[in-house]
Amino acid sequence: MIDSNPPLLHHFGALSSPNPPPPTTSSNLKCQVMEECQLPLIDLSGLNSNDQKEIVACAAAICRASSEWGFFQVVNHGISPELLKKMRREQELLFQTPFERKSTCGLLNNSYRWGSTTATSPKHFSWSEAFHIPLTKVSEESCYGEFTSLREVMTEFAAAMSKLARLLANILVENLRHQRDVIDDICDESTCFLRLNHYPACPISAEIFGLVPHTDSDFLTILYQDQVGGLQLMKDSKWVAVKPNQDALIVNIGDLFQAWSNDVYKSVEHKVMTNGKKERYSIAYFLCPSYDSLIGSCKEPSIYKQFTFGEYRKQVQEDVKKTGHKVGLPRFLL
């Protein structure tokens, strides 16, 4: 038996059919190799240029990638490599904590989760564990227990990610001829959050999800990932693997920006596939509005009916509970 921490194998086995997926071997890995894509790469130093043409070109590249891909990478983003390394080191120490302690001691606002409690079949199961922390709790000393050094690093990291997310969101808003402060007015620290992810090695099969296919229920997400790989996105009706870039952060558009932009920006389905030999770490920052914020299309005729973020979250949770997967924006089409 594989000794997994947390006990993912036990729960996955309970969902599997009498014929579980074949174990990962060098031979079946060869036939699972897929196209690897290089996401649009945007150098954000252009936004600080003294040349107005460079500023405009950089902003245009962000908007174009958000429309054509829904995903892009950014370099020279203003978050220091030293801070990123410290955050990764603290994250690894956190997940090395024994499962019993992580799951019972209330760490990080009691936000620890693992596997998929709502999964009804292997295709709805995520081979991963995570901490899901609202920004309002990031600086609270009581959330950290003995992980005192994590608090200082994560507070700095969250502030840096929040600043970057708002910068990018304001550019996307302005491109649609709206005031830049729209996002600042409705996005609230109580609903923005960080998610610390750990994907243990999974020697059962290369076809098991680390994170099931989904879109993000926010305005935009910023991802800091390691070099293991595993992130895949839907491009031109097929799955493509994202090649890791150690110098870049990944940005993707969420459902709320797609609805608000009337489909100008694309919220693209993505997933994480497990690795048979290596564990994977990532941290995602989610830019979300307050629950009572009304999300309506920025121009008419609108593709979607208006909804609040709270209503959207509730509908997503109901769908996942009933069917095991998220339906998302199609629920709100006019």
Side-chain angles (χ1 to χ4, degrees):
M1 294 293 289
I2 301 163
D3 181 23
S4 65
N5 179 20
L8 296 161
L9 178 63
H10 174 75
H11 277 245
F12 181 83
L15 294 170
S16 295
S17 65
N19 299 310
T24 298
T25 65
S26 58
S27 59
N28 65 24
L29 269 176
K30 289 177 184 175
C31 67
Q32 291 160 2
V33 173
M34 64 161 50
E35 180 183 342
E36 194 172 52
C37 74
Q38 190 74 258
L39 294 177
L41 182 64
I42 300 171
D43 184 346
L44 295 186
S45 65
L47 296 175
N48 300 316
S49 173
N50 293 322
D51 185 339
Q52 185 63 27
K53 289 182 179 178
E54 285 190 26
I55 297 173
V56 171
C58 185
I62 291 167
C63 299
R64 184 167 57 251
S66 299
S67 179
E68 295 176 0
W69 281 79
F71 268 79
F72 55 94
Q73 304 172 93
V74 293
V75 293
N76 293 318
H77 40 66
I79 303 178
S80 73
E82 293 74 23
L83 176 57
L84 294 174
K85 287 175 185 175
K86 283 194 292 185
M87 188 65 236
R88 176 55 39 75
R89 196 158 51 240
E90 293 290 343
Q91 180 184 14
E92 290 175 358
L93 288 172
L94 177 65
F95 280 110
Q96 287 166 9
T97 304
F99 169 67
E100 292 78 11
R101 172 145 180 73
K102 284 183 290 192
S103 59
T104 60
C105 71
L107 273 171
L108 297 177
N109 195 43
N110 198 30
S111 63
Y112 179 69
R113 56 187 68 179
W114 61 277
S116 304
T117 56
T118 58
T120 55
S121 73
K123 67 181 180 179
H124 297 145
F125 188 83
S126 293
W127 188 278
S128 56
E129 58 179 337
F131 286 92
H132 200 75
I133 314 106
L135 287 203
T136 49
K137 299 293 183 180
V138 165
S139 61
E140 285 193 10
E141 191 173 350
S142 60
C143 287
Y144 290 86
E146 73 268 30
F147 293 91
T148 51
S149 58
L150 173 62
R151 176 174 173 249
E152 180 182 346
V153 175
M154 198 150 80
T155 301
E156 185 181 356
F157 179 82
M161 293 287 263
S162 180
K163 181 180 178 181
L164 177 59
R166 289 168 187 270
L167 170 68
L168 296 170
N170 285 334
I171 288 170
L172 293 169
V173 165
E174 199 170 51
N175 180 57
L176 297 174
R177 307 292 185 266
H178 278 257
Q179 293 294 323
R180 288 174 67 99
D181 57 6
V182 167
I183 293 295
D184 290 330
D185 287 344
I186 65 173
C187 285
D188 190 318
E189 279 201 349
S190 66
T191 47
C192 295
F193 55 90
L194 284 176
R195 183 181 172 103
L196 280 59
N197 300 303
H198 175 226
Y199 303 89
C202 177
I204 300 175
S205 170
E207 298 178 6
I208 292 175
F209 297 127
L211 194 59
V212 296
H214 65 286
T215 57
D216 290 348
S217 304
D218 62 353
F219 275 112
L220 62 79
T221 305
I222 304 176
L223 183 74
Y224 168 46
Q225 64 168 352
D226 62 21
Q227 299 304 295
V228 172
L231 176 63
Q232 297 180 10
L233 61 90
M234 187 64 72
K235 177 64 174 169
D236 299 326
S237 302
K238 63 181 178 181
W239 288 107
V240 294
V242 175
K243 185 177 182 180
N245 180 337
Q246 64 179 0
D247 299 318
L249 297 174
I250 292 176
V251 182
N252 67 276
I253 298 300
D255 298 342
L256 303 188
F257 244 143
Q258 177 167 326
W260 190 80
S261 70
N262 222 25
D263 279 3
V264 172
Y265 305 136
K266 302 298 189 295
S267 180
V268 174
E269 192 175 25
H270 53 285
K271 62 183 178 180
V272 175
M273 301 307 294
T274 55
N275 188 294
K277 296 181 179 179
K278 296 179 181 179
E279 60 185 347
R280 177 180 184 267
Y281 290 94
S282 70
I283 308 175
Y285 174 91
F286 298 89
L287 180 67
C288 304
S290 57
Y291 287 119
D292 60 356
S293 295
L294 192 63
I295 307 300
S297 296
C298 66
K299 58 183 179 180
E300 298 295 337
S302 175
I303 298 171
Y304 304 97
K305 57 187 175 184
Q306 289 190 336
F307 55 87
T308 65
F309 180 48
E311 289 169 342
Y312 190 71
R313 290 259 302 181
K314 182 180 179 183
Q315 184 63 62
V316 167
Q317 290 165 355
E318 288 176 359
D319 288 339
V320 170
K321 189 174 182 180
K322 289 178 183 177
T323 68
H325 69 278
K326 172 185 170 180
V327 178
L329 282 179
R331 288 277 193 212
F332 293 87
L333 286 167
L334 285 171

